[in-house]
Amino acid sequence: MSSLAQALPEDGAFLPAHYLSLLIVDDERWIRESCKEVAENMGFKVFTADTAATAAKQLESHTIDVVLLDIKLPGPDGLELLLKIKQQQPETEVIMITGHATVDSVLTAMKSGAYDYLRKPFNIEELKLLLERVTEHMRFSLENRITREHLKNNPGYGGIVGRSPEMEKLYRIIAKVASSRHPVLVQGESGTGKEMVARAIHFTGPFRDKPFIPVDCGSLVPTLIESELFGYVKGAFTDAIRPKEGLLSIANGGTLFLDEIGEMPVDLQAKLLRALQEKEIRPVGSTKPTPIDVRIIAATSRDLEIAIHQGSFRRDLYFRLNVVSLRLPPVRERKEDIRLLVDHFLERLSRSTGARRSISTEAMKLMLAYDWPGNVRELENCLERAAALSSGHVLNICDLPPQIQNSSLQSISVSTTASRHRIVPLADMEKQAILAALNQLNGDKLMTAKLLGIGKTTLYRKLKEYGITDRWGVSTVEEAPRNG
């Protein structure tokens, strides 16, 4: 495993370049020192070697992410060392350096697994640009490897948790579209897991080894989205001191995930549509088209048909993206999955904290009764918060957020005041409150008493007083305590 992979946190967040190690192999001291200075200023941890034998020892002693390797070396040459590196450490990226580049030597190096090559003499900007490119490439590659492992080791289809009929239907559609290259539009409320579905489509399909590049259209500054997607050439604008590869180009052969596509400016929608139709892009400031082969998966929490009528989304782009449409059900429509989701997130918390976590029966009943307007994201946040506040390993009602603790009482209040326009006897309101609580809590009398703020003995007395028949098959009169 590379040093970058060892340092990456569990959530897969990208890290700065100082987690990358670089080995410079060249028999000319001034080249080694010059490259070392540039790389260290960029944040790399740098090692150097003047021969292939010395480099081999460095590779055995240290975890190396990137190698700058001269083709011509005393003794075994760079091409021999390249083959050895790719056999023993295939994840290490190698950039060849040559002052005598021939077509044959360059082709041999690239076929043997070299990432790219630098021709001597090269300047600092060329070296920096190439190191930036290989760093970005390694980060995307690493995220893809981690995501594949995550999807492999998690319950549900492709890492998505759920066994409700709605989710089973979703899995069948994902399985069908994963093997194709058709555009997919994923629709669902915020927090339902649209990016997870996009990742499942990509990483369970035949192009899983190609890049998966997520873009949050809602968080990017409108003036920067174009250069992020299409890239730009040197001199395209004042700050363009070097060219930048766009995400559509980086994702070539793989998948570009456009999250919250409904937030994309209308003028950029037209450029994206043209790129998808023509299968080529023009970086900002360039007149030369670059061919692309990218699968687009778009997601939105907005109703795009309404956005079309309002003029904020292009109809032609909508039809281009909506070849296959997936709808993610909100948690309130698949409440049978809540227990699975709770178990999944508690298991993850247990692994990350080293402390086994579980949830009490009473707290789970409240979780099942709550509507989860923030969906899976809110549920995960709720459990993380409860775990942080809990004084023990079992999460109880008092550890849950106030809105969940109060949700049952609020629904009872709504049901008992639905006829506020007419005067209702207090006894009738009390009876309706008890019935509503019992119905919502599936007959759990202890929980009903707690939520209503009365003692268990008082509850049994009220049940007997109002003649409430227990529809769960237990006689409330017979259950009542003898001293009640």
Side-chain angles (χ1 to χ4, degrees):
M1 182 183 290
S2 71
S3 60
L4 179 59
Q6 291 170 330
L8 195 77
E10 285 190 3
D11 62 2
F14 289 155
L15 297 175
H18 63 258
Y19 285 100
L20 287 170
S21 57
L22 172 70
L23 173 61
I24 303 166
V25 189
D26 198 293
D27 58 338
E28 295 184 79
R29 181 177 177 180
W30 73 272
I31 290 182
R32 294 198 305 273
E33 295 300 322
S34 299
C35 293
K36 180 180 180 181
E37 182 179 357
V38 172
E40 285 181 337
N41 287 336
M42 293 178 67
F44 286 90
K45 183 178 181 181
V46 180
F47 303 90
T48 61
D50 58 355
T51 64
T54 307
K57 291 179 180 178
Q58 294 276 34
L59 287 161
E60 290 174 2
S61 305
H62 306 284
T63 301
I64 303 297
D65 296 298
V66 185
V67 179
L68 277 175
L69 177 58
D70 191 10
I71 288 183
K72 297 293 183 181
L73 292 171
D77 65 13
L79 290 174
E80 290 182 51
L81 182 58
L82 168 65
L83 290 172
K84 184 176 180 181
I85 292 171
K86 283 299 174 182
Q87 287 172 358
Q88 297 177 355
Q89 302 179 31
E91 293 176 0
T92 299
E93 296 294 352
V94 182
I95 299 171
M96 306 303 294
I97 306 174
T98 177
H100 312 282
T102 64
V103 173
D104 288 342
S105 64
V106 170
L107 283 176
T108 301
M110 300 305 285
K111 286 180 179 178
S112 300
Y115 174 77
D116 210 332
Y117 71 95
L118 267 175
R119 188 194 303 269
K120 296 180 182 177
F122 53 85
N123 58 44
I124 289 176
E125 288 303 316
E126 288 177 307
L127 176 61
K128 285 179 67 177
L129 179 62
L130 193 46
L131 289 178
E132 286 174 355
R133 279 178 49 209
V134 74
T135 300
E136 192 169 26
H137 168 78
M138 291 194 72
R139 286 173 175 168
F140 283 128
S141 175
L142 179 62
E143 187 194 16
N144 288 349
R145 291 201 305 274
I146 289 173
T147 301
R148 285 197 298 274
E149 289 302 312
H150 172 76
L151 297 178
K152 190 186 302 180
N153 298 325
N154 279 273
Y157 182 92
I160 307 167
V161 178
R163 283 287 176 265
S164 61
E166 294 85 356
M167 297 305 290
E168 293 289 355
K169 179 181 178 182
L170 179 68
Y171 300 155
R172 289 193 292 272
I173 299 174
I174 291 175
K176 289 180 180 179
V177 302
S179 60
S180 72
R181 299 285 282 170
H182 299 304
V184 178
L185 181 62
V186 185
Q187 301 179 79
E189 295 177 9
S190 178
T192 49
K194 295 185 287 295
E195 182 170 342
M196 179 59 80
V197 168
R199 289 180 182 276
I201 293 171
H202 175 81
F203 287 104
T204 57
F207 306 100
R208 63 180 66 90
D209 294 323
K210 300 297 183 181
F212 175 89
I213 311 297
V215 182
D216 185 355
C217 299
S219 66
L220 288 175
V221 179
T223 54
L224 298 180
I225 298 180
E226 182 175 7
S227 59
E228 284 293 321
L229 288 179
F230 298 95
Y232 54 78
V233 298
K234 182 179 179 180
F237 45 86
T238 305
D239 295 328
I241 58 175
R242 62 177 68 93
K244 176 181 174 63
E245 193 173 12
L247 295 177
L248 277 162
S249 179
I250 293 173
N252 204 34
T255 300
L256 187 69
F257 173 57
L258 297 173
D259 196 11
E260 293 303 340
I261 185 72
E263 305 301 321
M264 181 177 286
V266 176
D267 58 339
L268 191 57
Q269 292 175 28
K271 294 179 181 178
L272 175 63
L273 175 64
R274 189 179 308 114
L276 298 180
Q277 288 175 335
E278 304 298 330
K279 296 188 182 299
E280 64 181 27
I281 59 171
R282 280 190 174 84
V284 178
S286 173
T287 57
K288 183 180 178 182
T290 303
I292 57 168
D293 177 22
V294 179
R295 180 182 200 165
I296 299 293
I297 301 179
T300 180
S301 57
R302 296 178 60 188
D303 187 326
L304 292 186
E305 292 189 4
I306 293 177
I308 290 170
H309 289 301
Q310 293 173 342
S312 60
F313 201 82
R314 292 182 62 103
R315 185 181 299 274
D316 45 8
L317 179 59
Y318 173 74
F319 288 127
R320 171 66 62 174
L321 296 174
N322 196 30
V323 176
V324 178
S325 180
L326 297 178
R327 177 187 176 269
L328 269 69
V331 172
R332 64 182 176 275
E333 292 181 9
R334 55 181 187 110
K335 286 202 169 186
E336 58 265 56
D337 288 332
I338 290 176
R339 199 177 297 273
L340 278 176
L341 289 163
V342 170
D343 291 343
H344 170 68
F345 289 128
L346 287 181
E347 177 63 29
R348 180 187 291 180
L349 280 169
S350 299
R351 289 199 307 268
S352 64
T353 62
R356 188 71 187 171
R357 298 284 186 178
S358 61
I359 187 167
S360 70
T361 302
E362 292 79 10
M364 177 60 85
K365 286 181 179 178
L366 281 191
M367 300 279 281
L368 291 168
Y370 185 59
D371 270 347
W372 301 104
N375 294 295
V376 179
R377 187 182 296 126
E378 182 186 6
L379 192 151
E380 181 180 11
N381 177 266
C382 162
L383 292 172
E384 288 180 356
R385 176 189 183 278
L389 296 178
S390 176
S391 56
H393 297 314
V394 179
L395 307 184
N396 293 300
I397 289 177
C398 60
D399 301 317
L400 300 178
Q403 69 270 21
I404 297 176
Q405 293 187 43
N406 298 332
S407 60
S408 291
L409 285 175
Q410 288 169 356
S411 63
I412 292 168
S413 175
V414 169
S415 67
T416 57
T417 58
S419 302
R420 186 173 293 174
H421 61 280
R422 62 187 178 88
I423 298 175
V424 180
L426 287 174
D428 287 353
M429 292 183 66
E430 187 176 62
K431 180 180 178 181
Q432 290 304 315
I434 293 172
L435 282 170
L438 282 170
N439 283 326
Q440 189 153 355
L441 297 172
N442 294 319
D444 189 320
K445 298 179 182 61
L446 181 60
M447 275 294 294
T448 297
K450 284 183 179 180
L451 283 172
L452 294 175
I454 59 177
K456 186 177 180 182
T457 302
T458 303
L459 175 64
Y460 279 116
R461 180 166 51 81
K462 294 289 185 183
L463 292 174
K464 184 177 181 180
E465 179 183 334
Y466 294 129
I468 296 175
T469 303
D470 192 336
R471 66 184 178 86
W472 293 274
V474 179
S475 171
T476 56
V477 176
E478 291 176 2
E479 267 194 2
R482 295 180 184 275
N483 61 357

